[in-house]
Amino acid sequence: MATGGRDHIPDIPIDEKGAPEEGARRERGHSEAGHVVNITGDNNLVILDSDVQSTGSVPHATSKEEKQFIRQLKGTYSTLTGKVRPIPFSREKRTIDEVFTEVGIKCKPARANGKETTLNSYREIITRSTGQSRVQIVEGEPGYGKSILSLRLAHDWCIDESHVKNIDILIYLNLRQLRGTRSIYEAIVECLLPVDSTIKESDVEQLLQNEDVKTLILFDAHDEYPDKDIDGNFVSRILGGKLLQHVSVLLTTRSSCIPRECDGRTGRIKLTGFDGRAREEYVRKVVTRGDENATQKILMQMNTNSILADICQAPLFAVIYAHSAHEAEINIDFSSVTEFFGYMVNCFHYHALNKAQTEATAEEQAKFRRFKDNHDKLDKLSYEALFAENQQLTWGKDIFIEELGEEFYDRHIDIGILIEEEVLNRNFPSQPDPYKAEVRFFHKLSCEWYAAHHLVKRLSSPHSPLPGNLVDLMDPSDLQHVYRFACGLDPDAAPQVIELLVKKKDCDRLAVLCALEQKDKTADVLNTVRDLVSRDVCITGDDSRLLQRTTIELVELACKHGIRVSCLQLKRCFTMFDVTNSCIVLESDFRLANMKTVRVLHMEEHILGSERKITEEELLGLLQTCEGLKELRFDSWRFMLPLSIPPEMISTALRERNIHVQYDRGSRLVYRFSFEHGQWKIHDQRADQSLRVEIHQRDSQLEQEWCVHDLKMAAEAGVGIKSLVLNDTFDTVADEGQSITLTSALTIPVLQTLQELKIMSTDINLEIFVRILSYVKDCPQMTTLQFLNCQVPDAVDPGLIPSQLSRRRMGVFSYGGRGHLDLGTGRWKGAYYRGTF
């Protein structure tokens, strides 16, 4: 068994000439505020200089204290964003303007059936934060740019960008640094104001409690907040509205760590990472600085390897790869995140070694390699930090050196894997130098990487068995990469890890990712695949490209080896079936070709999603491609299936397979396709739902045809039709009132079970009005006829009104105008208004 799993992680060739730049060194120092200036997060930026001055004004401040407070905040933020390093092992300094690149941003719906919307720019986040929900959550996977986005917003406020002009005070706090902080006022004074500031906590409290001052609090890295599980911490009180209710809040966190105080009123914004355009922009702007040949060379390396392109959806990975590729050509065919991250860690080590080897002795070079390969103590320290009930992501420098040794510590500080910071010593705040040195990983993913090595060792050792509740103590939703890395590092450990995951609720999808982290598809891997596909396998439109690709690979691997896939669910991601190439095409442009052993294929579309038209050829081609298919389900009326298929198009072999093809249009009716007749038959009726049909002018011809079909089938089956709404689609009624004709030329016959008819946005003359009454007369269950925004006759001859309507106590209403029609006199009485139609 491979204990370290390093054999298949590619090393980086050492540049015999050495790197041209100076290697990364330990950076210490204080800003004007006297607080930490070595700050990194998902953005991997290390702040270096403290001499940057604020360029913003203080336009809204009314008091001397408020002006001073804002000026000092802007001075601090300018320091944080003025000189940054794109990657930890680089010495080059840039401004945040030079390195910041927009990522994809989606606004998640507040309602369960709402639709995601795409924001055009990060600037729209501020508009939402100050104009809609009081609390906005910006969520994203590790390395997706949450922290650099926070810094960018603070920078924009400093220079009075238009989207933040209405914010009087912006408070930016990195929650990772606030262990033991009792109040937000204490945090602001300690972390954001200069040491010699005369502003006290009570002054800050008074400023923030002023409801006339528009304040935005930006909490960064809530997932790394040490006190997040402590009841009554000041962050939870603010989020829950128990403190500073008038203040807007923007909070960043991993998608798996949404604060429990958030509810349906909380705005949700999701970062979706780099697409191809964003990667190209970053490479050209930051890495090659406009060198087109170098830009295209790096992009070609990224895009040639499809798995690498998906991995680089995470800006963290894209940035480190791009800078590394600019220094030396990379010819590695990455097949997993584990392989890529191992390469990335090696980049840190070899970058410094390349620089030093011309002057380093053979003994020093050997020591360097020993530090790179032997990190058992760091593995154990990382594992125990994540295993703790309250994760410990920072350590005192003295404790860290005592555990790992000073040489090891200095080396990892030098290469950038570890970051040293100076923070207020809360135990001795009155000392002449109240600050102490703390150390942390440059990114939490690095901590997960080393913890995974220790997990592998524990799994292979009979003397240190893992606790049975490991997945409860190391939450997979928060620490998914620990499990993924472990499976990629050691194929013998993977079955044990996956077995732990599949036993825990909602971890099936992580188990899929873990299974495909293994490079060699051995018999053990196939057994794991067999176990995973015995459950429902799901691909959704919210999945990252890497997760979609991995799930597709899982399904195709199962089909290739004849392993039955119980159920494949495609949720909000289906685009079309490519008849020519016999494959399903997803919105991400991924293709799913081999589906021979899929037993059930279940496709869902959002109620507000795009219309998905499926032709006769596509439906039949899909059924023929899935040779083992027993059931095909379409859930949503957004799927536009053919109303019928000519029987001659259906092969004998397809008829004999007797596949259950079901179409649930979200109404009371569920259809099943009859291969014998080539038509849809009612399969199920939902007694707990009312059939309501609206035919809108914007609906496609096929959708209108399906609506008419629903009406006819419901009436024939005796299913009650609660209401029919003709929204700008009514045209006329046949002479004797036997049918309604729509503007699309479709006709609706008399419906025996129709209870209510609403006609909207149409002018009705007397002749047509009487024909409508005649049509209504022949619908025996109808009790209400409504007109909205319609010009109706001033009066109707009582002799033209069918007497059956009076006996039925039919209600005829013209909303927003005439009122209700007296069926005895033919005149309208009293304006009748209602809030909704």
Side-chain angles (χ1 to χ4, degrees), residues 698-717:
R698 64 172 176 261
D699 293 338
S700 67
Q701 181 74 13
L702 182 56
E703 170 56 18
Q704 291 194 26
E705 289 175 6
W706 264 108
C707 288
V708 173
H709 181 270
D710 287 342
L711 294 168
K712 291 178 180 178
M713 296 297 289
E716 290 176 7

Side-chain angles (χ1 to χ4, degrees), residues 577 584 595 601 603 618-626 632:
F577 181 80
I584 287 176
M595 298 175 285
L601 180 57
M603 296 201 283
E618 289 176 345
L619 181 56
L620 294 176
L622 176 60
L623 294 170
Q624 290 163 356
T625 298
C626 301
L632 173 61

Side-chain angles (χ1 to χ4, degrees), residues 565-592:
V565 180
S566 296
C567 178
L568 173 60
Q569 298 182 16
L570 302 180
K571 297 184 177 181
R572 307 178 305 282
C573 61
F574 174 87
T575 296
M576 61 174 290
F577 181 80
D578 184 342
V579 177
T580 304
N581 296 298
S582 300
C583 62
I584 287 176
V585 181
L586 305 183
E587 283 187 333
S588 59
D589 290 332
F590 284 141
R591 293 169 180 261
L592 186 58

Side-chain angles (χ1 to χ4, degrees), residues 519-749:
K519 188 172 183 180
D520 300 318
K521 305 301 183 283
T522 62
D524 284 340
V525 174
L526 293 180
N527 287 334
T528 300
V529 169
R530 182 176 288 104
D531 187 36
L532 292 174
V533 299
S534 65
R535 305 169 175 82
D536 289 359
V537 178
C538 183
I539 302 175
T540 80
D542 294 330
D543 294 343
S544 68
R545 288 181 59 84
L546 184 62
L547 179 53
Q548 284 197 3
R549 180 185 292 279
T550 302
T551 309
I552 289 171
E553 186 178 343
L554 173 77
V555 172
E556 293 190 337
L557 186 63
C559 293
K560 177 181 177 181
H561 289 84
I563 300 172
R564 178 183 298 179
V565 180
S566 296
C567 178
L568 173 60
Q569 298 182 16
L570 302 180
K571 297 184 177 181
R572 307 178 305 282
C573 61
F574 174 87
T575 296
M576 61 174 290
F577 181 80
D578 184 342
V579 177
T580 304
N581 296 298
S582 300
C583 62
I584 287 176
V585 181
L586 305 183
E587 283 187 333
S588 59
D589 290 332
F590 284 141
R591 293 169 180 261
L592 186 58
N594 188 346
M595 298 175 285
K596 292 182 178 180
T597 64
V598 175
R599 285 296 188 260
V600 176
L601 180 57
H602 183 189
M603 296 201 283
E604 296 181 14
E605 185 51 69
H606 201 283
I607 189 173
L608 298 177
S610 303
E611 182 178 291
R612 306 297 187 191
K613 183 177 180 180
I614 299 176
T615 65
E616 296 96 332
E617 293 80 8
E618 289 176 345
L619 181 56
L620 294 176
L622 176 60
L623 294 170
Q624 290 163 356
T625 298
C626 301
E627 298 176 2
L629 197 66
K630 297 298 183 183
E631 183 175 340
L632 173 61
R633 299 206 307 266
F634 296 92
D635 282 0
S636 176
W637 58 271
R638 302 307 294 169
F639 289 110
M640 289 290 102
L641 300 175
L643 275 165
S644 62
I645 299 178
E648 59 269 20
M649 290 182 63
I650 304 173
S651 66
T652 303
L654 204 52
R655 295 175 194 271
E656 291 175 349
R657 285 172 59 188
N658 194 30
I659 305 170
H660 181 97
V661 182
Q662 180 174 303
Y663 184 21
D664 184 348
R665 288 180 44 79
S667 61
R668 282 188 63 181
L669 305 178
V670 179
Y671 295 103
R672 179 175 180 178
F673 187 74
S674 168
F675 287 92
E676 181 181 357
H677 302 97
Q679 296 178 342
W680 297 94
K681 305 291 184 182
I682 293 180
H683 174 65
D684 190 20
Q685 301 174 24
R686 296 192 179 96
D688 59 337
Q689 293 186 18
S690 299
L691 180 61
R692 301 171 186 268
V693 177
E694 178 178 1
I695 305 178
H696 199 286
Q697 192 224 5
R698 64 172 176 261
D699 293 338
S700 67
Q701 181 74 13
L702 182 56
E703 170 56 18
Q704 291 194 26
E705 289 175 6
W706 264 108
C707 288
V708 173
H709 181 270
D710 287 342
L711 294 168
K712 291 178 180 178
M713 296 297 289
E716 290 176 7
V719 174
I721 305 171
K722 178 66 176 178
S723 70
L724 167 60
V725 180
L726 303 180
N727 194 335
D728 209 14
T729 50
F730 174 87
D731 184 37
T732 188
V733 179
D735 289 346
E736 302 299 324
Q738 302 96 336
S739 63
I740 291 174
T741 303
L742 305 181
T743 53
S744 60
L746 297 174
T747 59
I748 302 174

Side-chain angles (χ1 to χ4, degrees), residues 21 24 40 43-46 84-92 99 282 316 318-324 327 348 351 415-416 442:
E21 295 183 348
T40 64
N43 52 333
N44 301 290
L45 303 178
V46 182
V84 299
R85 293 191 306 196
I87 50 177
F89 56 72
S90 170
R91 292 286 294 160
E92 187 177 15
V99 301
Y282 182 86
L316 166 64
V319 166
I320 292 182
Y321 181 87
H323 284 275
S324 301
E327 291 187 1
F348 284 72
H351 185 276
I415 64 178
F442 88 97

Side-chain angles (χ1 to χ4, degrees), residues 31 47 57 110 148 184 197-198 244 290 297 313 347 385 412 439 451 497 545 571 574 597 601 727 747 755 768 781 815:
S31 69
I47 310 303
S57 60
I148 193 171
I184 188 171
S197 175
T198 59
L244 300 176
K297 187 175 181 180
Q313 183 180 357
C347 278
H412 284 75
V439 61
V497 172
R545 288 181 59 84
K571 297 184 177 181
F574 174 87
T597 64
L601 180 57
N727 194 335
T747 59
Q755 299 167 19
I768 299 301
Q781 294 187 23
Y815 292 140

